[in-house]
């Protein structure tokens, strides 16, 4: 792997989450989330509490409960699962199941109806809440060891529904607590993020869910070397789901929209044109640029900054999004590695049928059936490069003539990326909130 534009330290892979452009995950019934205990909880004392009532730290990773998954059945809007024989709050996770199958069982459900949702921004102790969030941020039992990536994605997806023309959507309201928004295919895998934050909400009921989700992402960025963003409180939670009457699915970006359909798993290269780009990539580019980000009011530079800064964090899981693997080697540290690697590395299009990945020690890069992604590995070629991937919707930044120069700028200047990403992410998370 080449890092001529950025010297990055070798790091143990810590932390992860799924793409900001990622589909489909089933949900558990709210009864299975009673108490929101993510696995067994180990209560560690918080500096802000003298009596041992500190942040709850999960000691079980819900992705790993493969052996406790029960049969689930589809309803019209989401998938429910019966309570497992031992309640872990998030139910169980079947690693072998397709994200589109009926046996995956990480929850996408609202918190208990009795939980307070309002909050009072003028009485919340945000310093104490920040300290509590820092306590739970490093979690060796979770994915790659950090909750920062999944908190970042929760904030992104709760904000990315904003529509400037109608003034609807955005982070104000925390609508993902309710069935319709939680069931959006692009919100796959975010139930654990909401559940990890539930003990913090219960300890600090004065903060709204809307504010908590955004603050958690800001703290995650700060502790991983990302931009320090000034937090503006005052978001108010939706009291019920009536807001959804003015909403719709399709506001969040999809990873392969409008691209040439993938029909032959044994010959995925047939979906490439003579230049090595996926056929129909121009339509995908229009989707990301016009249908998603221009709709919210962002320009091209802000779009590239948001993805370069956001997709340096975490990884995709085939059980949740259908895609697989991390974008970068150091997925819990802010850097411009996403931009440099996209430009400097060689990328191979693969699908679920590319079993050669397994034989070469890159099984973690093989997506679920029906999905395609680019990987930094080649069939028959082994080396020391860590396993990395790019979504089709990532590669448009290298292919589009207007996006490409911006990508190159951030590949050359990490400091500028940090400044621009911080400004764009703050703007994203405040859209529709009515802040001055």
């Amino acid at each position: 792997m080449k890092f001529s534009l950025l010297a990055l330290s070798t790091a143990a892979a810590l932390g992860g989450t799924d793409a900001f452009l990622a589909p489909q995950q089933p949900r558990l019934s709210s009864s299975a989330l009673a108490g929101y205990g993510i696995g067994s909880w180990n209560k560690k004392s918080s500096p802000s509490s003298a009596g041992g009532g500190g942040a709850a730290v999960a000691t079980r990773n819900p992705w790993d409960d493969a052996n406790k998954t029960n049969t689930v059945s589809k309803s019209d809007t989401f998938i429910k699962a019966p309570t497992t024989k031992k309640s872990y709050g998030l139910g169980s996770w079947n690693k072998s199941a397709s994200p589109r199958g009926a046996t995956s069982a990480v929850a996408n459900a609202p918190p208990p109806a009795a939980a307070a949702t309002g909050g009072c921004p003028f009485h919340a102790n945000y310093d104490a809440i920040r300290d509590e969030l820092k306590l739970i941020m490093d979690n060796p039992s979770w994915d790659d060891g950090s909750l920062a990536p999944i908190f970042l994605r929760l904030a992104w997806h709760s904000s990315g529904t904003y529509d400037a023309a109608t003034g609807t959507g955005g982070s104000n309201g925390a609508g993902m607590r309710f069935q319709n928004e939680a069931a959006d295919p692009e919100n796959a895998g975010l139930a654990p993020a909401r559940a990890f934050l539930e003990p913090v909400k219960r300890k600090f009921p004065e903060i709204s869910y809307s504010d908590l989700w955004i603050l958690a992402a800001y703290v995650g960025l700060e502790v991983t070397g990302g931009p320090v963003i000034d937090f503006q409180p005052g978001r108010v939670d939706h009291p019920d789901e009536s807001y959804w009457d003015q909403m719709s699915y399709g506001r969040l970006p999809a990873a392969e929209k409008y691209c040439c359909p993938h029909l032959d798993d044994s010959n995925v290269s047939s979906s490439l044109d003579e230049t090595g780009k996926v056929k129909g990539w121009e339509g995908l580019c229009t989707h990301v640029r016009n249908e998603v980000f221009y709709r919210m009011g962002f320009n091209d530079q802000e779009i590239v900054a948001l993805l370069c800064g956001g997709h340096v964090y975490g990884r995709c899981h085939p059980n949740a999004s259908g895609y697989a693997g991390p974008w970068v080697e150091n997925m819990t540290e802010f850097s411009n590695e996403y931009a440099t690697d996209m430009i400097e590395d060689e990328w191979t299009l693969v699908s679920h049928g590319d079993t050669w990945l397994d034989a070469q020690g890159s099984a973690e890069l093989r997506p679920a059936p029906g999905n395609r992604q680019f990987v930094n590995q080649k069939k028959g070629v082994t080396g020391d490069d860590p396993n990395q991937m790019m979504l089709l919707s990532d590669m448009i930044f290298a292919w589009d003539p207007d996006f490409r120069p911006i990508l190159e700028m951030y590949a050359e200047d990490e400091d500028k990326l940090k400044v621009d990403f911080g400004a764009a992410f703050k703007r994203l998370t405040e859209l529709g909130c009515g802040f001055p």
Side-chain angles (χ1 to χ4, degrees), residues 36-42 58-62 65 86-91:
Y36 277 86
I38 304 181
S40 56
W41 289 89
N42 176 16
T59 58
R60 179 182 298 278
N61 185 341
D65 287 335
K86 183 175 181 181
S87 175
Y88 294 110
L90 283 177

Side-chain angles (χ1 to χ4, degrees), residues 181-436:
E181 190 166 338
D184 188 324
E186 309 305 336
N187 287 332
L190 286 174
R194 301 194 299 275
F196 272 120
L197 291 172
E198 189 65 22
V200 182
K201 169 63 175 170
R202 290 180 174 177
K203 184 171 181 178
F204 299 94
E206 62 274 17
I207 189 173
S208 67
Y209 281 102
S210 311
D211 276 345
L212 179 60
W213 294 357
I214 303 306
L215 182 57
Y218 287 9
V219 173
L221 287 171
E222 182 177 339
V223 300
T224 56
V228 177
I229 303 175
D230 181 53
F231 176 67
Q232 172 67 57
R235 297 167 185 81
V236 179
D237 296 332
H238 295 307
D240 54 44
E241 205 164 7
S242 59
Y243 80 96
W244 189 258
D245 293 341
Q246 302 179 67
M247 296 285 291
S248 62
Y249 293 124
R251 294 190 178 190
L252 295 170
E256 298 188 51
K257 193 171 184 180
Y258 304 135
C259 283
C260 173
H262 175 218
L263 301 177
D264 184 1
D265 221 29
S266 65
N267 186 23
V268 67
S269 61
S270 64
S271 56
L272 296 173
D273 64 21
E274 63 278 2
T275 67
K277 302 179 182 70
V278 174
K279 297 173 184 175
W281 72 269
E282 298 92 343
L284 175 60
C285 191
T286 297
H287 164 63
V288 172
R289 173 185 272 130
N290 297 73
E291 295 181 352
V292 177
F293 288 100
Y294 281 10
R295 186 202 71 229
M296 292 188 280
F298 289 105
N299 60 37
D300 282 3
Q301 182 168 335
E302 291 170 314
I303 296 170
V304 180
L306 282 169
L307 270 296
C308 284
H311 276 184
V312 77
Y313 287 98
R315 65 169 65 233
C316 292
H317 305 84
N319 316 71
S321 67
Y323 301 96
W327 288 270
V328 300
E329 180 180 4
N330 302 319
M331 71 284 288
T332 60
E333 298 177 11
F334 185 85
S335 72
N336 63 347
E337 187 185 349
Y338 170 92
T340 59
D341 287 358
M342 189 184 299
I343 292 172
E344 295 186 7
D345 289 0
E346 294 185 35
W347 299 97
T348 303
L349 184 67
V350 299
S351 68
H352 183 73
D354 284 294
T355 55
W356 59 266
L357 288 165
D358 302 32
Q360 293 185 192
S362 300
E364 67 174 322
L365 297 181
R366 190 153 63 96
N371 290 343
R372 296 167 292 179
Q373 64 186 50
F374 285 86
V375 302
N376 67 338
Q377 306 295 333
K378 284 188 173 184
K379 186 176 183 179
V381 179
T382 58
D384 297 329
D385 286 349
N387 291 324
Q388 295 174 223
M389 67 90 205
M390 292 284 172
L391 301 173
L392 275 62
S393 50
D394 294 310
M395 296 302 294
I396 64 171
F397 299 119
W399 297 339
D400 182 80
D402 294 319
F403 281 146
R404 174 83 185 205
I406 306 170
L407 182 71
E408 292 173 345
M409 175 180 67
Y410 290 136
E412 294 284 354
D413 194 338
E414 181 178 319
D415 290 338
K416 181 168 179 56
L417 173 61
K418 181 183 288 191
V419 171
D420 291 353
F421 171 71
F425 192 70
K426 178 176 174 64
R427 184 174 170 222
L428 171 69
T429 54
E430 293 183 355
L431 291 173
C433 294
F435 297 153

Side-chain angles (χ1 to χ4, degrees), residues 69-224:
T69 305
N70 290 338
T71 304
V72 294
S73 58
K74 290 185 178 180
S75 69
D76 290 337
T77 56
F78 65 104
I79 295 176
K80 296 181 179 179
T83 305
T84 56
K85 64 180 180 180
K86 183 175 181 181
S87 175
Y88 294 110
L90 283 177
S92 305
W93 185 254
N94 185 344
K95 283 193 171 182
S96 63
S98 162
R100 290 169 176 76
T103 55
S104 300
V106 164
N108 251 334
T117 60
C120 181
F122 302 107
H123 294 95
N125 185 339
Y126 293 104
D127 288 339
I129 298 171
R130 279 180 174 273
D131 289 342
E132 198 78 8
L133 290 167
K134 290 176 182 178
L135 280 177
I136 68 171
M137 202 63 65
D138 290 332
N139 188 329
S141 73
W142 174 253
D143 214 0
D144 293 304
S146 172
L147 298 180
I150 199 170
F151 287 162
L152 182 64
R153 183 171 174 249
L154 176 64
W156 184 300
H157 279 226
S158 68
S159 305
T161 58
Y162 181 70
D163 178 64
T166 63
T168 57
S171 65
N172 204 43
M176 218 182 299
R177 294 172 297 125
F178 300 104
Q179 176 176 306
N180 279 304
E181 190 166 338
D184 188 324
E186 309 305 336
N187 287 332
L190 286 174
R194 301 194 299 275
F196 272 120
L197 291 172
E198 189 65 22
V200 182
K201 169 63 175 170
R202 290 180 174 177
K203 184 171 181 178
F204 299 94
E206 62 274 17
I207 189 173
S208 67
Y209 281 102
S210 311
D211 276 345
L212 179 60
W213 294 357
I214 303 306
L215 182 57
Y218 287 9
V219 173
L221 287 171
E222 182 177 339
V223 300
T224 56

